[in-house]
Amino acid sequence: MNITLLIIVVTVIVSIMAFSNQLIIENLVFWPYKIWRNNEWHRLLSCSFIHADLGHLAFNMLALYSFGAYIETSFEYIFEGKGHTLFILMYFGAVASADIWNLFKQRDNTQYKSLGASGGVAAVVFSYILLNPMGKIYFFFVPIGIPAFIFGPLYLVYCVYMAKRGTDNIGHLAHFTGSIFGFVFPLLFEPRLLQIFVQQLFNA
């Protein structure tokens, strides 16, 4: 079963429906105030199925499609039959953990809401960096790729910088948290992956 494709299909369908139905957004969006007041904990995960606009949706799903199948296949090989389960746990675990800071910080803010699958997508990308640090990551069809082990730290620095600036409505802190989650999660089940990661760097 291709879990990546299933997540993409469901996310695209729900997101497109939500573009013209505000009620869907109101019921699924990450909304700390509602979570704490009404025990609507499903919002920690359901927010990943809706997006702000078509560009937001397309970017996330393209990134998920580009890296998801590789991670699924790798997980199945590394974890011997548990790969699909761990992939699902990693993806949605990252979605939920990416918003933990704002879950507490914004708990009394009736206006704060966020949406999108960026936390889960970032986790998948950083799992790729762990498993294939010498692989290339490309941007917007630019023919020259950035080695994954270089892209990772640069992206984390960018997330921290933009989060401190706070000049846009993008959840840079959520991206940072999801990225770290995706790198660490496989190590919890197979610590030797860190040694293999380092070996790949020094043998390049």
Side-chain angles (χ1 to χ4, degrees):
M1 179 187 299
N2 191 321
I3 302 299
T4 298
L5 187 57
L6 179 60
I7 292 174
I8 290 173
V9 169
V10 173
T11 303
V12 168
I13 291 174
V14 176
S15 291
I16 290 176
M17 290 173 59
F19 289 155
S20 59
N21 190 331
Q22 186 63 29
L23 182 60
I24 294 178
I25 296 178
E26 293 295 312
N27 288 333
L28 301 184
V29 71
F30 174 74
W31 194 346
Y33 183 83
K34 288 280 189 178
I35 291 174
W36 289 107
R37 294 304 184 280
N38 302 335
N39 286 319
E40 296 178 3
W41 296 97
H42 69 276
R43 294 178 181 274
L44 285 171
L45 302 181
S46 63
C47 62
S48 68
F49 293 106
I50 53 176
H51 288 76
D53 51 44
L54 191 58
H56 185 207
L57 173 64
F59 183 85
N60 273 343
M61 294 304 98
L62 179 60
L64 180 57
Y65 179 79
S66 299
F67 297 96
Y70 177 91
I71 298 304
E72 275 194 70
T73 301
S74 298
F75 274 23
E76 277 296 289
Y77 175 77
I78 295 168
F79 302 116
E80 300 179 350
K82 300 177 182 177
H84 290 313
T85 300
L86 291 179
F87 181 84
I88 293 171
L89 288 176
M90 182 187 72
Y91 181 82
F92 287 106
V95 167
S97 66
D99 283 317
I100 288 297
W101 172 258
N102 284 319
L103 176 65
F104 290 91
K105 181 181 179 181
Q106 305 291 347
R107 63 184 301 170
D108 296 318
N109 185 349
T110 59
Q111 301 303 313
Y112 182 86
K113 304 173 188 177
S114 69
L115 71 177
S118 299
V121 173
V124 172
V125 173
F126 270 71
S127 284
Y128 174 86
I129 293 173
L130 171 66
L131 301 181
N132 188 24
M134 304 311 299
K136 298 293 182 67
I137 295 180
Y138 296 84
F139 285 99
F140 303 110
F141 309 105
V142 175
I144 301 176
I146 302 175
F149 77 95
I150 294 177
F151 169 85
L154 290 177
Y155 182 73
L156 293 179
V157 170
Y158 169 77
C159 287
V160 172
Y161 172 73
M162 293 302 294
K164 287 183 176 180
R165 286 189 65 188
T167 55
D168 55 33
N169 292 320
I170 299 174
H172 296 288
L173 183 59
H175 295 176
F176 180 92
T177 306
S179 299
I180 299 299
F181 189 99
F183 191 90
V184 172
F185 183 87
L187 296 174
L188 300 177
F189 299 91
E190 183 48 85
R192 290 178 299 176
L193 290 174
L194 184 58
Q195 179 183 350
I196 296 172
F197 171 80
V198 174
Q199 288 175 344
Q200 289 185 71
L201 295 182
F202 283 97
N203 292 335

